[in-house]
């Protein structure tokens, strides 16, 4: 067989497993194996196209398309960085230039288009119809169902009231609208929600300010945001390491129907592997469907790149794949088996996991289509940005030479870069590295690469570039000593919302540690004011260390072990720092 034409498909982390399966099924289907007139001789049974599926968080995709000239230039080796790029590295994240982009919703497409230059971009986005739907839901613990609220069509005011302190007292958890299409669409639904009849027009010209404030007040709690439905639900699963996590029995996750069904049925979700069976009833969530909130519609976007030499056959190959995805006997069957609803018949089809009673979803719920416009999406995100409180983050990064082993350093640099992206007038940061090459015998010494209180991400990016260029220290990293200094500093900070982001290989300081350091650090963490510790641990032991679990839990932070979704998971938790008011703490 001659080499098949490679198509690159970019999507959201939540949809990647299902679309990877769909791509495989397409490659093996008759639609991709049969010869076509006019395309030359192709031996029988040879694939005409192969599809590479990869994913990235919404903010990374937006930045990629906004810097499409650099994206294309990096692929060709001709890119030149610009100060305005603020460290955008499209080839690393989101990945190679896509031929197809399947975002979670049309709102993601609108937002990406808004961020692209009006003229001159080498990328052209061609909007196509949806390939699958999944409604948005609020998961309510099965043993805490809401009184007098129908799961199949509750208004948002009813849901907000039914979960408040006077009723079920549940904490609402939402994926970040900046990082996740699910979070963005849930926020659109919340901001435009009303208490009218189900067939009323769901969107007015502007969000309801009072309802938006009420919603954000309920959602503004430390650690209330995640990078997507799947990681949010993974953190709530009984078998997951829940150090520092909220009580799942008192949580109400704002997620997609598909991800909630996967959770209840014990399927693989996020970084949590599949279980042997469905969760028991007392660990499951019941899906409540907010009225007039549109479903995720997963449009297929063809991406054309200027100067592509094989543009015509590439467009034809994308069109064939799109047709197969929407075919009831092709992609619709595959996606339906993954828990999505079809483009023609919105009720689950044969073999759908949604038909399993243990999924705790409403099979016959009406799927609401997306009708908001680009201007409304922009106003929602503007309102969300204005609702965020000021914050301060201290990034404490292990720069010992062991970070170069096993590809750990690029992951740590990527995580630090994501933290820098929130910097600005209301969101300041500092960047410290340990150990300190100037004081190798002082285990508590750190290098202040960027002073705490900086609002300019360029300083941090330049410092990270120096670290990437080899500014590492051939000396063990004593985590507890460096962290003690960082916690003391942040306790004195006047910022209302603050956190320490710890990026670590592993704690190398246990051997020569002075007596009482761990007790001192534990006491300091437990004292007010609260400073959450958000740790990304890349060493073999991950978050299994008792010290890390204890510190994350005592500080109301989180420890994130290394893995494919680790950087996005940490980014979601960093994004939640500015959403917490002083009273929430």
């Amino acid at each position: 067989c001659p080499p098949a034409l490679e198509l690159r498909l970019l999507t959201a982390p939540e949809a990647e497993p299902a679309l990877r399966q769909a791509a495989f099924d397409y490659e093996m289907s008759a639609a991709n194996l049969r010869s076509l007139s006019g395309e030359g001789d192709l031996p029988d049974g040879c694939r005409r196209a192969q599809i590479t599926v990869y994913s990235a968080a919404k903010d990374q995709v937006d930045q990629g398309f906004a810097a499409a000239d650099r994206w294309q230039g990096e692929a060709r080796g001709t890119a030149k960085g610009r100060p305005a790029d603020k460290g955008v590295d499209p080839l690393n994240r989101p990945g190679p230039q896509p031929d197809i982009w399947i975002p979670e919703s049309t709102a993601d497409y609108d937002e990406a288009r808004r961020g692209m230059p009006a003229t001159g971009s080498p990328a052209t986005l061609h909007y196509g119809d949806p390939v699958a739907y999944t409604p948005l839901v609020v998961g309510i613990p099965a043993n805490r169902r809401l009184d007098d609220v129908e799961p199949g069509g509750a208004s948002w005011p009813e849901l907000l009231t039914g979960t408040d302190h006077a009723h079920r007292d549940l904490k609402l958890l939402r994926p970040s609208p900046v990082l996740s299409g699910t979070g963005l669409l849930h926020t659109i639904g919340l901001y435009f929600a009303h208490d009218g009849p189900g067939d009323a027009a769901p969107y007015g010209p502007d969000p309801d300010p009072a309802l938006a404030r009420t919603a954000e007040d309920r959602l503004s709690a430390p650690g209330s945001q995640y990078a997507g439905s799947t990681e949010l639900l993974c953190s709530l699963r009984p078998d997951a390491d829940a150090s520092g996590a909220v009580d799942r029995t008192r949580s109400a996750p704002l997620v997609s129907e598909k991800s909630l069904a996967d959770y209840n049925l014990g399927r693989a979700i996020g970084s949590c592997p599949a279980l042997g069976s469905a969760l028991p009833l007392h660990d499951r969530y019941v899906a409540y469907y907010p009225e007039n909130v549109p479903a995720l519609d997963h449009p297929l976007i063809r991406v054309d790149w200027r100067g592509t030499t094989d543009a015509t056959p590439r467009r034809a190959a994308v069109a064939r794949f799109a047709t197969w995805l929407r075919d009831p006997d092709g992609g619709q069957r595959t996606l339906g088996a993954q828990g999505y609803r079809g483009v023609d018949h919105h009720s689950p089809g044969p073999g759908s996991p949604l038909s399993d009673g243990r999924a705790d979803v409403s099979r016959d719920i009406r799927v609401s289509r997306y009708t908001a416009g680009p201007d409304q999406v922009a106003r929602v995100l503007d309102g969300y940005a204005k609702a965020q409180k000021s914050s301060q983050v201290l990034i404490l990064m292990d720069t010992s030479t062991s970070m170069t082993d096993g590809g750990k350093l690029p992951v740590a640099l990527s995580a630090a870069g994501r933290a820098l992206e929130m910097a600005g007038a209301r969101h300041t940061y500092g960047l410290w590295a340990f150990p300190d090459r100037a004081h190798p015998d002082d285990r508590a010494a750190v290098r202040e690469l960027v002073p705490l209180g900086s609002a300019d991400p360029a300083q941090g990016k330049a410092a990270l570039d120096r670290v990437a260029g080899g500014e590492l220290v051939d000396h063990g990293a004593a985590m507890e000593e460096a962290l003690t200094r960082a916690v003391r500093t942040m306790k004195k900070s006047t910022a209302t919302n603050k956190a320490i982001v710890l990026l670590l290989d592993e704690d190398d300081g246990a051997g020569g540690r002075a007596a009482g350091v761990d007790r001192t650090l534990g006491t300091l963490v437990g004292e007010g004011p609260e400073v959450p510790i958000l740790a990304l641990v890349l060493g073999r032991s991950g978050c299994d260390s008792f010290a890390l679990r204890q510190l994350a839990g005592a500080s109301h932070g989180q420890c994130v072990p290394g893995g494919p979704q680790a950087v996005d998971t940490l980014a979601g938790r960093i994004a939640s720092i500015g959403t917490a008011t002083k009273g929430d703490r």
Side-chain angles (χ1 to χ4, degrees), residues 171 220-224 244-246 390-393 486-500 522-534 550-558 573 576-577 580-585:
K171 181 177 178 180
S220 61
S224 67
V246 296
S390 61
S391 64
Q392 188 169 81
V393 172
V487 172
R488 281 202 173 107
T489 298
M490 290 301 283
K491 292 283 186 181
K492 298 174 185 176
S493 167
T494 58
T496 303
N497 305 295
K498 49 196 171 185
I500 294 171
T523 300
L524 188 63
V525 166
E527 296 173 347
E530 184 178 287
V531 180
I533 297 170
L534 306 174
Q550 186 182 45
L551 289 168
S555 69
H556 295 97
Q558 185 180 6
R573 306 314 296 268
S576 74
I577 296 164
T581 62
K582 190 170 184 178
D584 291 321
R585 295 196 181 281

Side-chain angles (χ1 to χ4, degrees), residues 23 111 121 156 166 209 232 331 375 377 419 480 512 569:
E111 183 60 13
S121 175
W156 255 119
L232 193 166
D375 291 343
V377 175
E480 291 192 7
T569 299

Side-chain angles (χ1 to χ4, degrees), residues 241 243-244 533-537 542-544 548-549 552-553 557-561:
D241 178 12
S243 64
I533 297 170
L534 306 174
L536 173 58
V537 186
C543 293
D544 292 338
L548 283 166
R549 291 200 309 271
Q558 185 180 6
C559 185
V560 178

Side-chain angles (χ1 to χ4, degrees), residues 9-12 15-24 53 102 131 298 321 325 335 338 340:
L9 194 167
L10 173 62
T11 189
E16 182 181 357
L19 288 174
R20 190 180 295 277
Q21 182 63 52
F24 175 80
V53 181
I102 302 182
V131 298
H298 302 90
F321 179 56
L325 278 176
L335 294 173
Q338 296 289 322
Y340 288 100

Side-chain angles (χ1 to χ4, degrees), residues 149-175:
V149 179
E150 288 295 326
S155 70
W156 255 119
E158 287 177 324
L159 289 169
L160 291 171
T161 299
T163 56
D164 67 14
H165 291 297
H167 296 84
R168 289 304 186 194
D169 193 18
L170 298 175
K171 181 177 178 180
L172 301 179
L173 303 179
R174 169 188 57 185

